[in-house]
Amino acid sequence: MNIKRSILLRVRIAFLLTVVFVLAVVYRLVHVQMIEGDKWRQKAEEYSLDYKKIKATRGSIYSANNDLLATSLPFYRLAFDPSLVDDETFTSKIDSLSHLLSNFFRDHSSDYYKKKISEARQSRSRYMVINRDLVNYQQKQMMNTWPIFRKGQMQGGVIFHKVDERHRPFRTLGQRTIGYVKDDFGVGIEWSFNDYLAGRDGEGLFQKVAGGNWKPVNASSDVRPEDGYDIHTTIDVNLQDVAQNALLRALMRYEAAYGTVVLMEVKTGEIKAISNLQKTASGRYAESYNYAVQGTNDPGSTFKLASMLALLEAGKVDLSDTVDTGEGSIDFYNRTLTDVKRGGYGKITVQEVFEKSSNVGIAKLVTEHFGENPQEFVDIIKKTGYGQPLDFQLMGEGVPYIKDTDDESWSGTTLPWMSVGYETSVTPLQTLALYNAVANDGRMIQPILVKSINKANQPVKTFEAKVLNKQIASDETLEKLRLMLEGVVERGTAKNVKNEYFKIAGKTGTAQKLIDGRYRTQHYYASFAGYFPADEPLYSCIVVIDDPDGWNRYGGDVSAPVFKEIADMIYSQNLAIHDSFQADLLANEGTFPVIRAGKFDELNKLCNELGISNHLGDEDVDWVRSQVDNNAIIWKKNYGSNELVPNVQGMTVRDAVYLLENSGLKVNISGSGRVQNQSLRPGVRISKGQTISLDLG
């Protein structure tokens, strides 16, 4: 019995202790929650504070015309602290606010928004995101006038979180060149100049609120961010639009894999347009890779300019020398090199070899003169700077590859194949730099895309094209190279782009593509590189179209017309580059319609015998043109020299033929009377043996 009572007593004591403990816990919970609640809530808020990064506003990117290419626009995410609104305002205005929110976002009913906000208020939530959609600055200003929100952040509880969104006003124009930045990766100007564009982030005090969100406290200790610098580029928006659309039309026409075009000012090296378009899975074209800067490939026949430079600079050949190209094929060990024309070109001059782009002719010349010392050929080319990195302003420039003779892949067929643009690899921009140097009197300069870095319209850093080589070749060699490049358009593989208004100089290129280690005869890399106007070069340009479809897949058929379209558009829009002597082609009208041009001593004698006042404007000239001044004739020196086509319009047949044949031209005549039109425009460079047609009337 005593044992039983003892057990019961122990159980009762244990039960009482448990009850006391439970009551103590309940009391403590009530005390903490009800009596000390404000104190602990304040401490919780204090311990939920942290410093967070405040993003700087990214700098803008501008064109050469000061058009915005990329900028950061402020957008805002709408949040709300419903606990800050007094009961009277909340009760009377919540319906109106919910209605406005529903009409604006158009995703939920007004009842949904009212319920969502009311529940957050009842749960004493200090922070809620009303809608994830961003609003712009004008919309933000409008929302600040809405019921409840108009009281501001402290009394109305409205919170606008600023979020910068990158915006490109011209959308896809130059998209890859402008580029982007995403996390720790990017491309184009955005990435290459990220250190300047990004600015310096600030730091601010934030409070952690319900849902794991952070609300800015706006403390005095906040460090304000420093906005990024602006980038001013050399891109001309109008020329960019012309180049990109011309390229796109050609790509669509030939259903090509990709294409690129670069337009550059000859003297400054400033890139005025650069476009890269690649065929997507949907069949459309978009900029996804910078082939102009990064894409290396066998250049094909555009490399023949470098081969001819080496031959001429070493004194191995002259333009009038002849080469027997036979029936258009030649064997080098176990490989056969062929020309495009079936049956070959036979025996032709060195200049014709270049104009017709004869593989056989170029390879024979190079192997004949450099076969014993092929490294000499390589050294001359590399000395120009071609085949060396340009240290371009954009990251990721393709690494050029021109073999030396100690390269392990060098073989007996390397030299002839290299001479016509194979077994080597360069980017389109690197090839353009070589052609630009020929146009620029031998001065090879570094292409540039960014002109300055600005802060508040004040340059903090400026860029100019670096001189990579002051003189890539002798003046004599350069003059011959220019003659050959002009001949390609006048008579050669690009004669389809010849026009009567201004002269183009350039070279076509068609390279078989290397696929799975083998060159494929049905897949081509078609290109055209050159400059214009040829007499006084202002722009250089390269066009590449990869793997075009159809029968005509050569550079002259596919890429050269894109070049011409760009050049024509620039010529038509820029009166400053129109030739000053164009007005001289028109015969003077007035009192003396017959006296146009001729030999000065004969015309002067005729006028004196007829009693016509005439005066010589230039001293010591043989051939003149007439210019009427009131009732007198002023004799002006006729446009012409031993190297340039003279102006014979208005002359007698005898005088015209004499002058033209003494300039090295062959003359075809049709009609009778004085010369009305001539097929070769005055002022263009003469190629000896060239034919000019005269229309008389």
Side-chain angles (χ1 to χ4, degrees), residues 394-467:
L394 295 187
M395 293 181 181
E397 179 187 357
V399 179
Y401 173 61
I402 295 180
K403 291 182 183 180
D404 289 301
T405 53
D406 59 0
D407 191 296
E408 61 180 12
S409 64
W410 187 278
S411 69
T413 61
T414 295
L415 184 61
W417 258 258
M418 178 188 288
S419 71
V420 297
Y422 289 98
E423 295 194 35
T424 186
S425 185
V426 291
T427 69
L429 189 61
Q430 289 156 2
T431 294
L432 180 60
L434 175 66
Y435 279 75
N436 192 81
V438 173
N440 196 24
D441 297 322
R443 194 165 177 257
M444 180 177 283
I445 54 179
Q446 173 198 51
I448 63 169
L449 185 62
V450 171
K451 193 75 178 289
S452 67
I453 299 170
N454 289 23
K455 185 174 185 179
N457 295 324
Q458 294 298 318
V460 297
K461 189 172 184 179
T462 58
F463 301 92
E464 290 186 359
K466 298 176 185 177
V467 178

Side-chain angles (χ1 to χ4, degrees), residues 283-308:
R284 298 187 177 185
Y285 288 90
E287 288 206 319
S288 57
Y289 186 78
N290 197 330
Y291 290 98
V293 177
Q294 298 174 284
T296 58
N297 203 86
D298 289 314
S301 293
T302 55
F303 190 87
K304 291 174 182 174
L305 180 68
S307 296
M308 289 305 306

Side-chain angles (χ1 to χ4, degrees), residues 234-266:
T234 62
I235 295 295
D236 184 304
V237 170
N238 295 323
L239 298 183
Q240 176 71 31
D241 185 52
V242 168
Q244 187 158 317
N245 281 293
L247 178 65
L248 177 60
R249 282 190 289 271
L251 293 174
M252 294 175 64
R253 178 182 178 185
Y254 292 101
E255 298 183 359
Y258 71 81
T260 183
V261 58
V262 185
L263 177 71
M264 183 167 69
E265 279 188 352
V266 169

Side-chain angles (χ1 to χ4, degrees), residues 171-470:
R171 302 180 67 185
T172 60
L173 200 66
Q175 182 177 344
R176 179 71 185 194
T177 303
I178 297 168
Y180 62 85
V181 171
K182 187 176 181 181
D183 299 327
D184 293 327
F185 176 77
V187 298
I189 295 172
E190 293 275 21
W191 181 245
S192 299
F193 289 84
N194 187 51
D195 290 344
Y196 293 100
L197 287 164
R200 182 176 297 177
D201 293 337
E203 190 177 59
L205 188 63
F206 284 74
Q207 177 185 345
K208 191 173 184 179
V209 294
N213 296 302
W214 290 87
K215 182 177 74 173
V217 177
N218 297 322
S220 59
S221 59
D222 289 357
V223 177
R224 295 180 62 84
E226 295 180 17
D227 293 343
Y229 294 148
D230 296 330
I231 301 295
H232 286 255
T233 73
T234 62
I235 295 295
D236 184 304
V237 170
N238 295 323
L239 298 183
Q240 176 71 31
D241 185 52
V242 168
Q244 187 158 317
N245 281 293
L247 178 65
L248 177 60
R249 282 190 289 271
L251 293 174
M252 294 175 64
R253 178 182 178 185
Y254 292 101
E255 298 183 359
Y258 71 81
T260 183
V261 58
V262 185
L263 177 71
M264 183 167 69
E265 279 188 352
V266 169
K267 299 298 182 184
T268 66
E270 294 183 6
I271 293 176
K272 293 302 175 183
I274 177 171
S275 181
N276 301 273
L277 296 172
Q278 182 179 17
K279 195 172 187 179
T280 64
S282 64
R284 298 187 177 185
Y285 288 90
E287 288 206 319
S288 57
Y289 186 78
N290 197 330
Y291 290 98
V293 177
Q294 298 174 284
T296 58
N297 203 86
D298 289 314
S301 293
T302 55
F303 190 87
K304 291 174 182 174
L305 180 68
S307 296
M308 289 305 306
L309 184 150
L311 287 164
L312 292 168
E313 192 68 358
K316 306 290 187 181
V317 299
D318 202 355
L319 300 189
S320 58
D321 293 345
T322 58
V323 184
D324 188 0
T325 64
E327 296 181 356
S329 68
I330 186 171
D331 293 330
F332 292 97
Y333 296 94
N334 61 338
R335 298 179 69 182
T336 300
L337 190 64
T338 61
D339 281 333
V340 172
K341 183 182 178 182
R342 291 184 179 180
Y345 300 105
K347 193 173 185 179
I348 55 178
T349 66
V350 169
Q351 177 152 343
E352 289 175 319
V353 165
F354 190 81
E355 291 175 356
K356 299 177 185 297
S357 198
S358 170
N359 293 329
V360 173
I362 292 287
K364 285 188 72 172
L365 287 169
V366 170
T367 54
E368 177 183 346
H369 295 290
F370 292 106
E372 296 296 323
N373 185 12
Q375 188 61 45
E376 181 187 3
F377 173 77
V378 176
D379 289 343
I380 294 174
I381 292 175
K382 287 190 174 182
K383 187 178 178 181
T384 67
Y386 187 42
Q388 303 297 323
L390 298 171
D391 191 24
F392 191 56
Q393 290 172 313
L394 295 187
M395 293 181 181
E397 179 187 357
V399 179
Y401 173 61
I402 295 180
K403 291 182 183 180
D404 289 301
T405 53
D406 59 0
D407 191 296
E408 61 180 12
S409 64
W410 187 278
S411 69
T413 61
T414 295
L415 184 61
W417 258 258
M418 178 188 288
S419 71
V420 297
Y422 289 98
E423 295 194 35
T424 186
S425 185
V426 291
T427 69
L429 189 61
Q430 289 156 2
T431 294
L432 180 60
L434 175 66
Y435 279 75
N436 192 81
V438 173
N440 196 24
D441 297 322
R443 194 165 177 257
M444 180 177 283
I445 54 179
Q446 173 198 51
I448 63 169
L449 185 62
V450 171
K451 193 75 178 289
S452 67
I453 299 170
N454 289 23
K455 185 174 185 179
N457 295 324
Q458 294 298 318
V460 297
K461 189 172 184 179
T462 58
F463 301 92
E464 290 186 359
K466 298 176 185 177
V467 178
L468 303 177
N469 190 337
K470 292 181 180 179

